[in-house]
Amino acid sequence: MSLMERIGFDFAHGRLDISAHPFCGGTPDDVRITTRYDESDFARALMGVLHETGHALYQRGLPASWRLQPVGRARGMAVHESQSLLLEMQVCRSRPFLIYAAPILREAFCGDGPGWEAEELYHRQIRVRRGLIRVDADEVTYPAHVILRYRLERAMIAGDLAPVDLPGAWAEGLRLLLGVAPDNDREGCLQDIHWYDGNWGYFPTYTLGALIAAQLFEAARCDVPEVMRVIAAGEFAPLLVWLRERVHSKGSLLSTDELVEGATGQPLGTASFERHLRERYLN
């Protein structure tokens, strides 16, 4: 809650609770976010909260003068996911953020030793490993999970894949993409709620959101050169002001393509995301 508030979450217009799966809901004047806790790994809840805080800041920042009108709504889930992933992946898994957060985390958890230093926390948050579960995946392997679901979803909609054959197709697809395969449906095709909740066509918004987030953050760093330095000092207002002006205040006035190009000067592409991954994981 301390980090949420410092980043810009307004507890006079929202709250944090517990649920089986983290989510953000409510209205711009009453934003509700939830998380789940793992007593063996505080970082899961922490990063989940920061991710949902990105959603909440977008929801709260929608134009007040357009409330209750279609133009005042969020642009769509790809843009919504871009705001959560920008905060979680681009900002809160960065070295500058962990320089700021390390003393807070060390004090909160009575941490001691080198494992609580900023550099160690940073490397912990960018660890890459192949895994079965989408929500636990790192940002390098995460797109593979979305690609798998997209391929299977299209096949089912087209009638080329019967639901009864989904578990086997899932296991084979994940093996080809990541070299791992589930032992059961809990780790496989039933791990997400989206399909049986009726949210078909939703999964691509996660990777589209990651692409938008990288492109927006690259533009923000260009427009506000001191942004990483002030994040290391715990100052998030310059970034939030930029996002309010370029993204949040637009509501649904523009199409997603127009919004991204207007904010970054470029059509949406993959170059910014690729540069981000290379800078973080190969340098």
Side-chain angles (χ1 to χ4, degrees):
M1 290 174 71
S2 174
L3 288 171
M4 287 170 63
E5 193 165 34
R6 186 60 182 261
I7 289 168
F9 187 89
D10 182 1
F11 279 97
H13 291 277
R15 56 182 290 153
L16 171 67
D17 291 289
I18 300 172
S19 68
H21 187 83
F23 69 87
C24 174
T27 70
D29 290 319
D30 185 10
V31 186
R32 306 298 182 92
I33 74 172
T34 69
T35 193
R36 59 187 176 193
Y37 296 98
D38 180 347
E39 292 187 6
S40 66
D41 184 2
F42 74 88
R44 285 188 177 186
L46 175 63
M47 289 299 160
V49 165
L50 295 173
H51 177 98
E52 300 304 330
T53 298
H55 280 301
L57 293 176
Y58 180 35
Q59 193 76 6
R60 177 72 182 140
L62 293 172
S65 60
W66 299 346
R67 295 281 163 80
L68 306 181
Q69 301 180 69
V71 71
R73 297 173 184 165
R75 172 57 261 169
M77 287 315 301
V79 175
H80 232 308
E81 290 298 338
S82 80
Q83 297 308 286
S84 58
L85 291 169
L86 188 151
L87 187 61
E88 179 197 357
M89 295 298 185
Q90 301 290 324
V91 176
C92 294
R93 291 182 189 267
S94 70
R95 277 190 174 94
F97 175 79
L98 288 162
I99 288 171
Y100 165 67
I104 297 172
L105 297 174
R106 191 162 53 242
E107 180 179 358
F109 294 100
C110 301
D112 187 29
W116 292 91
E117 297 299 323
E119 190 66 13
E120 289 297 320
L121 290 171
Y122 170 70
H123 284 290
R124 175 178 178 168
Q125 294 310 314
I126 65 165
R127 189 175 299 157
V128 176
R129 59 166 68 90
R130 305 175 190 191
L132 300 170
I133 307 300
R134 175 186 63 85
V135 296
D136 293 334
D138 57 84
E139 63 180 331
V140 176
T141 61
Y142 190 98
H145 291 268
V146 174
I147 290 167
L148 171 66
R149 287 154 174 76
Y150 178 66
R151 289 173 176 172
L152 297 175
E153 190 171 57
R154 283 179 59 91
M156 284 190 286
I157 290 174
D160 297 329
L161 176 64
V164 69
D165 296 323
L166 178 60
W170 182 292
E172 178 62 13
L174 196 63
R175 185 188 65 79
L176 291 174
L177 284 170
L178 286 178
V180 295
D183 293 326
N184 53 64
D185 291 343
R186 182 185 181 90
E187 296 177 339
C189 63
L190 294 182
Q191 66 179 264
D192 294 303
I193 68 170
H194 299 63
W195 286 336
Y196 44 87
D197 195 39
N199 287 321
W200 290 73
Y202 192 106
F203 285 114
T205 67
Y206 292 121
T207 292
L208 289 170
L211 298 180
I212 296 170
Q215 193 161 319
L216 287 173
F217 195 57
E218 189 173 69
R221 291 172 67 179
C222 181
D223 291 345
V224 190
E226 72 275 15
V227 68
M228 300 308 286
R229 176 177 58 80
V230 298
I231 285 172
E235 298 296 333
F236 301 91
L239 176 61
L240 186 55
V241 167
W242 190 92
L243 289 171
R244 288 277 194 258
E245 177 186 344
R246 302 298 184 91
V247 181
H248 303 176
S249 65
K250 306 300 183 185
S252 285
L253 180 65
L254 307 173
S255 70
T256 298
D257 288 341
E258 290 170 337
L259 180 68
V260 172
E261 187 161 2
T264 68
Q266 299 288 334
L268 177 60
T270 60
S272 296
F273 186 63
E274 290 180 18
R275 279 192 291 269
H276 162 68
L277 293 181
R278 289 183 181 277
E279 180 182 330
R280 175 169 286 178
Y281 295 96
L282 297 180
N283 291 337

